[in-house]
Amino acid sequence: MILGIDLGTTNSLVAVWQDGQAKLIPNVLGDYLTPSCVGLDEDGTVLVGKAARDRLQTHPEKTTSLFKRHMGTAKAHRVGTVDYRPEELSSFVLRSLKEDAEAFLGCTIDAAVITVPAYFSDSQRKATRAAGQLAGLKVDRLLSEPTAAALAYGLNEARDESKFLVFDLGGGTFDVSVIEKFEGVMEVRATAGDNFLGGEDFTQAITKHYFEKSGVPSEASLDAAFQQQLVARAESFKLDFPSRKSDSLTAQWQEMSYSVEIDETLFTKLTKDLLARLRMPVERALRDARIRAADIDNVVLAGGATRMPLVRQLVTRMFGRFPNSEVNPDEVVAAGAAVMAGLKMKDVALNEIVMTDVCPYTLSTGIAIRLADGTEVGGVSSPIIDRNTVVPVSRVKTYWPGRDNQPYITVDVYQGEARYVQDNIKLGELQVKLPPAPRADGACDVRFTYDVNGLLEVETRIKKTGETQRLVIQSTTEGLSAAEIEERLRALAQLKIHPRDKLENRTLLAQAERRLQQMLGGMRDQLGVEMMRFEAALMAQNERGCQAARTRLQRVLDAMDSDSYFAPEFDK
């Protein structure tokens, strides 16, 4: 059996696919939500969940939370006298969820699908996988949180064809995914997000204002117990506002009460920048998906922070309709993780579902560009796989050395959207030896092949000699054996045929070329334009675009063969 786990910044949940449906599993206290908090009891026992959260106010030096925000970094969190890395603290939460599930189901479980923010970087995903392994779990899949929400929502959606947007605002991260559902397929068209934006930021905006305006002495900010008391009250405040047009936030320090009045106008001002940051990933995802906001059939909410009325108002204004929350926003991601676990177990109830995902970041290599005045600019990012490309995917580009008889070129691999590679995240590099030759003869093909589990293969081929080299970057596939990696690479091998070299495309182009040579005048020009469109789509190596261009060219040829061709019809 495989568990579905939502490892959250504020709360975590575990679910399982059983009897044809996703079932949430309660913890030992009977709650579905387990706070993502870790602490130490007086006898040194590790506490996880509600018991640890309750001690945040009374024993803050022995308790910690919000460590998910630092996944993939070396930041240490002190609990008592011991420093823990974020993945170690996350493993305590995962182990607690695993034990709750085993007690509830009455069997031993050693595998899980774990959700991560869609915009988690390579190092953050690696840390999450490591946390699972520390908890005694084989991580079968790291699943993007909006994708998980889409799976849970998609099963409940009666319509077979629809476009919907998942708006996932958790305690510490924000993700947006645009999903298209058709003929049993749920395809992620685009994803965007902000790894440092969540409900906690709204809480911090309130507490910051409190310290500035309530009159509480400055030394109160150094009192950890008071800080935790204030945070708890700010959390409650933001979830209620603006049900009342004005309210006061009150906390006690050294038997004195200090209050600050916050009305609707002030609250909007305090959160203005945060709300603006919520808009940007939504606009970017829609732009990348090439879908207008008006064409979205439904907006699905996920993450506990979407319960804030202010956030729901923002979504309603952006899309001109109320968001869909028929699936509990706190539970939808865990339910979707359970669906993916069911797919992994090949449950017969899920045989008809196909789920695609995308590469959340651009994968590129660094090049040098020579400007018209002869100036050479190095370290420029050259994308090979663009962000939001459907995976698995394989893309190739050709590069040349900078000078004659250059002994080698360095193919370095970066992740990120910045124009210069120094501002992106380096994943690895490969040195390629070149035969002595003029620059023009030193062409080298660089191919990136990326799968749904984050395994990236970099392959180089010197065109003149045919010599190849390969680098496998398995940063998110820790724990795979060499045999398992080879099996995945064999599965990806079929992607390595360039679209222009596929038999059906070569055949169609040959047919079009033959017809072109038989024509004169405007019809010849029009067919030439259609052929160039098709060739441009092939060079872009986008399967969706290739299919559309192939269909269009075939329609043109069929119309010409039936003597019913009119150019204006195909200009639409």
Side-chain angles (χ1 to χ4, degrees):
M1 185 170 288
I2 303 174
L3 296 177
I5 296 177
D6 173 10
L7 181 62
T9 305
T10 308
N11 294 293
S12 297
L13 301 89
V14 60
V16 67
W17 183 262
Q18 196 175 60
D19 301 326
Q21 62 181 335
K23 291 184 178 179
L24 294 175
I25 295 174
N27 58 30
V28 69
L29 300 176
D31 301 324
Y32 291 135
L33 295 178
T34 296
S36 300
C37 297
V38 175
L40 288 180
D41 206 347
E42 300 306 324
D43 61 359
T45 303
V46 174
L47 300 175
V48 176
K50 188 174 184 298
R53 187 185 64 187
D54 291 344
R55 289 170 63 86
L56 273 172
Q57 292 188 32
T58 58
H59 298 79
E61 75 284 353
K62 293 184 177 181
T63 319
T64 188
S65 62
L66 305 181
F67 37 82
K68 178 180 173 179
R69 278 194 158 182
H70 305 288
M71 290 287 272
T73 73
K75 179 178 174 62
H77 293 252
R78 174 148 293 202
V79 182
T81 59
V82 181
D83 288 335
Y84 292 98
R85 291 173 62 94
E87 58 265 41
E88 293 176 302
L89 294 167
S90 295
S91 74
F92 294 145
V93 177
L94 290 171
R95 185 175 293 276
S96 177
L97 296 172
K98 174 179 181 288
E99 291 171 353
D100 286 335
E102 289 176 337
F104 183 81
L105 298 169
C107 62
T108 301
I109 300 173
D110 61 3
V113 171
I114 301 177
T115 63
V116 293
Y119 232 53
F120 250 23
S121 68
D122 193 74
S123 59
Q124 290 168 312
R125 291 169 186 260
K126 177 181 179 180
T128 303
R129 187 175 289 275
Q133 292 174 331
L134 288 170
L137 290 166
K138 176 189 175 186
V139 183
D140 272 7
R141 171 82 180 265
L142 292 178
L143 180 66
S144 296
E145 289 168 4
T147 304
L151 273 173
Y153 173 79
L155 291 184
N156 294 331
E157 168 64 35
R159 297 170 56 185
D160 189 56
E161 293 190 9
S162 63
K163 297 181 181 71
F164 54 99
L165 179 141
V166 179
F167 188 99
D168 182 6
L169 181 64
T173 58
F174 174 52
D175 286 313
V176 179
S177 282
V178 179
I179 316 286
E180 184 173 4
K181 182 183 178 187
F182 59 94
E183 298 178 354
V185 176
M186 280 189 286
E187 179 178 297
V188 180
R189 293 288 302 275
T191 190
D194 188 329
N195 284 341
F196 294 94
L197 176 60
E200 298 296 334
D201 296 284
F202 288 81
T203 302
Q204 289 174 17
I206 296 171
T207 58
K208 179 182 178 183
H209 178 75
Y210 178 89
F211 276 111
E212 291 174 350
K213 301 297 182 181
S214 68
V216 67
S218 58
E219 55 264 34
S221 63
L222 304 176
D223 186 334
F226 174 77
Q227 282 272 29
Q228 292 301 327
Q229 174 199 165
L230 179 61
V231 166
R233 296 189 179 178
E235 287 275 356
S236 178
F237 184 91
K238 75 182 183 186
L239 292 176
D240 286 340
F241 212 87
S243 58
R244 297 181 293 276
K245 295 299 181 183
S246 179
D247 206 349
S248 61
L249 179 64
T250 304
Q252 287 187 329
W253 186 68
Q254 293 186 351
E255 300 182 357
M256 290 284 291
S257 291
Y258 298 89
S259 299
V260 63
E261 194 76 15
I262 301 178
D263 60 21
E264 188 173 4
T265 302
L266 177 57
F267 191 57
T268 301
K269 180 181 178 181
L270 294 177
T271 58
K272 178 182 176 182
D273 291 344
L274 297 174
L275 294 174
R277 286 173 63 189
L278 288 175
R279 295 184 67 99
M280 291 171 58
V282 174
E283 294 168 353
R284 178 173 174 177
L286 289 171
R287 188 167 55 248
D288 284 359
R290 295 179 176 85
I291 293 176
R292 298 178 304 163
D295 296 330
I296 295 293
D297 299 306
N298 246 316
V299 180
V300 181
L301 298 182
T306 60
R307 290 185 285 119
M308 284 190 289
L310 200 68
V311 171
R312 296 195 176 206
Q313 288 174 4
L314 172 70
V315 174
T316 301
R317 288 196 302 269
M318 289 182 69
F319 290 92
R321 77 201 71 174
F322 291 109
N324 186 311
S325 56
E326 61 188 45
V327 182
N328 188 325
D330 284 310
E331 301 173 356
V332 65
V333 171
V339 175
M340 178 55 71
L343 287 168
K344 284 282 185 180
M345 294 186 292
K346 303 189 185 303
D347 189 282
V348 292
L350 296 171
N351 277 348
E352 300 303 316
I353 298 175
V354 177
M355 186 81 214
T356 73
D357 214 333
V358 294
C359 178
Y361 289 94
T362 296
L363 298 173
S364 60
T365 190
I367 62 171
I369 294 178
R370 186 171 285 109
L371 303 180
D373 62 0
T375 304
E376 187 172 283
V377 180
V380 178
S381 179
S382 175
I384 295 180
I385 296 179
D386 287 321
R387 70 171 187 269
N388 288 321
T389 300
V390 175
V391 293
V393 60
S394 188
R395 294 283 187 270
V396 62
K397 277 192 174 182
T398 303
Y399 298 94
W400 284 264
R403 61 182 185 275
D404 294 341
N405 299 313
Q406 187 169 313
Y408 67 88
I409 58 173
T410 300
V411 177
D412 36 21
V413 184
Y414 291 90
Q415 169 185 283
E417 312 305 322
R419 191 157 57 103
Y420 292 102
V421 294
Q422 66 184 23
D423 299 318
N424 292 323
I425 299 172
K426 187 170 183 177
L427 303 180
E429 67 175 46
L430 189 63
Q431 278 207 348
V432 181
K433 291 183 179 180
L434 299 175
R439 175 186 175 278
D441 293 339
C444 178
D445 284 341
V446 178
R447 177 180 290 278
F448 285 5
T449 304
Y450 188 77
D451 84 347
V452 73
N453 292 294
L455 185 144
L456 173 63
E457 180 191 30
V458 180
E459 191 175 63
T460 63
R461 177 180 176 274
I462 300 172
K463 285 196 170 186
K464 185 175 182 180
T465 65
E467 184 179 346
T468 63
Q469 285 184 247
R470 188 179 73 165
L471 169 69
V472 177
I473 299 174
Q474 10 168 342
S475 48
T476 61
T477 55
E478 232 177 46
L480 289 180
S481 68
E484 288 173 320
I485 292 171
E486 284 302 320
E487 182 181 348
R488 286 189 181 173
L489 291 176
R490 281 196 297 272
L492 292 173
Q494 59 183 333
L495 295 171
K496 296 181 182 181
I497 301 174
H498 196 292
R500 65 172 176 253
D501 297 327
K502 289 185 177 179
L503 181 60
E504 64 268 30
N505 295 332
R506 292 170 60 186
T507 300
L508 184 59
L509 277 173
Q511 179 188 356
E513 183 67 34
R514 186 172 65 252
R515 294 288 282 117
L516 181 77
Q517 293 177 13
Q518 298 169 355
M519 293 179 177
L520 295 172
M523 291 183 68
R524 177 189 175 104
D525 292 342
Q526 184 66 26
L527 181 56
V529 169
E530 295 299 338
M531 291 174 66
M532 284 188 285
R533 283 180 175 173
F534 184 41
E535 289 170 331
L538 295 179
M539 290 306 297
Q541 304 175 69
N542 181 296
E543 184 55 38
R544 180 187 284 265
C546 290
Q547 184 175 349
R550 183 166 55 243
T551 300
R552 181 186 174 96
L553 180 57
Q554 187 64 63
R555 284 175 57 210
V556 171
L557 291 173
D558 291 345
M560 288 179 172
D561 287 341
S562 64
D563 295 325
S564 61
Y565 173 69
F566 293 97
E569 176 188 349
F570 296 96
D571 288 335
K572 296 177 184 176

